[in-house]
Amino acid sequence: MPLIGPNHVRQSVSDSTMLLNFILYGVYLLCLLIVIWLGAVRLRIMEQPARIFYVLILISFVSELTASGIEYFIGDNHNVYNVTDIIQMFTVCLYFTACLKKWWIVALGYFSIAFGVYDYFWLQQEDLINNYFLLWCGIVVISLCLYMMVFLSHREGHEKLTRFAHFWFSAALMFYWTVDLLNSQVFNSAAELNKDYAAMLNAMHIVTNIIAYGIIGFGFWCLPKLIQ
């Protein structure tokens, strides 16, 4: 999602709401940098699925840097997020494929690319958040996270789910997408009704990111003690 949105949205948002968004966004970027550092520290002991998940974090970081630059110079970073959402979704499918060893999951990734491109060019306006694609992503990712939980619960019956690194990664993804799925479906409507509503939804989205990356950071920090 964009930080605030196009110029006509930003200009209509109150100063206090704008300030709240920028403060939260700064905290979010700091959390993202900490997670990247924690992942780099644990990189040598990561198995392939965890390494793919770490690549997903790096893609998110590059996405945010690019979106921030576009936001500063142009004022509308929707296209950046719309494109990087497709890349991130495919990487998520690669991660679950590596964890679960199921070929059909990577097939979901290729289908997601095709649907994301179709949605971007033909289904929705370029200056809006791609609700159809995000709806698809949310349903798929939440379903895969639940599948992962079941898989881990049967993998070693005497171990608690919290003993698995991929429980924490899946929990973070499921939390993020559950909240973001609801958020994204009302964002465009809120932007049309009241720009402050849209900005508050954006703030909630940033808080969701902060919590999700906090969970991921905990997973990276405890990785030596967790089962991969």
Side-chain angles (χ1 to χ4, degrees):
M1 279 192 182
L3 176 57
I4 291 295
N7 285 324
H8 71 276
V9 173
R10 297 203 318 272
Q11 292 170 358
S12 304
V13 175
S14 64
D15 291 340
S16 59
T17 306
M18 177 81 82
L19 179 61
L20 174 64
N21 273 267
F22 277 111
I23 292 175
L24 288 174
Y25 192 70
V27 174
Y28 160 57
L29 289 180
L30 178 61
C31 290
L32 185 51
L33 286 172
I34 292 174
V35 170
I36 290 174
W37 174 74
L38 289 172
V41 170
R42 306 301 189 197
L43 193 60
R44 288 187 297 178
I45 63 173
M46 287 184 189
E47 296 179 1
Q48 184 187 32
R51 287 175 180 263
I52 295 174
F53 194 85
Y54 185 62
V55 169
L56 176 65
I57 305 302
L58 295 178
I59 292 173
S60 299
F61 179 66
V62 173
S63 169
E64 292 300 336
L65 290 182
T66 305
S68 296
I70 296 297
E71 173 75 12
Y72 180 80
F73 290 106
I74 298 178
D76 185 354
N77 55 19
H78 285 86
N79 288 335
V80 175
Y81 285 109
N82 288 337
V83 172
T84 55
D85 282 342
I86 298 174
I87 299 172
Q88 289 173 330
M89 181 58 190
F90 182 73
T91 308
V92 168
C93 289
L94 288 180
Y95 163 70
F96 281 107
T97 300
C99 289
L100 300 170
K101 311 299 182 184
K102 304 293 184 180
W103 66 269
W104 54 266
I105 300 179
V106 75
L108 280 177
Y110 286 114
F111 177 82
S112 297
I113 292 176
F115 178 60
V117 172
Y118 177 70
D119 186 43
Y120 179 80
F121 285 107
W122 291 286
L123 281 184
Q124 295 189 285
Q125 301 177 34
E126 291 184 1
D127 62 341
L128 296 178
I129 296 171
N130 286 349
N131 286 340
Y132 300 137
F133 180 67
L134 289 182
L135 178 61
W136 163 258
C137 291
I139 293 173
V140 171
V141 174
I142 292 171
S143 299
L144 289 174
C145 289
L146 292 173
Y147 186 21
M148 173 70 80
M149 301 296 184
V150 174
F151 172 80
L152 292 177
S153 67
H154 290 92
R155 180 178 169 185
E156 296 183 35
H158 299 292
E159 295 289 348
K160 295 181 179 179
L161 283 176
T162 53
R163 290 278 296 143
F164 294 95
H166 299 297
F167 164 80
W168 295 104
F169 299 154
S170 297
L173 287 176
M174 187 163 62
F175 169 77
Y176 169 82
W177 277 104
T178 300
V179 179
D180 193 57
L181 192 62
L182 300 173
N183 194 328
S184 63
Q185 299 311 303
V186 298
F187 186 89
N188 291 331
S189 299
E192 294 297 327
L193 292 174
N194 188 307
K195 307 310 178 186
D196 274 318
Y197 292 164
M200 291 306 297
L201 284 173
N202 192 77
M204 185 176 74
H205 169 73
I206 298 172
V207 171
T208 303
N209 273 282
I210 292 171
I211 297 174
Y213 281 113
I215 297 172
I216 294 169
F218 178 80
F220 281 149
W221 177 256
C222 298
L223 198 61
K225 301 177 182 179
L226 299 176
I227 301 170
Q228 296 188 60

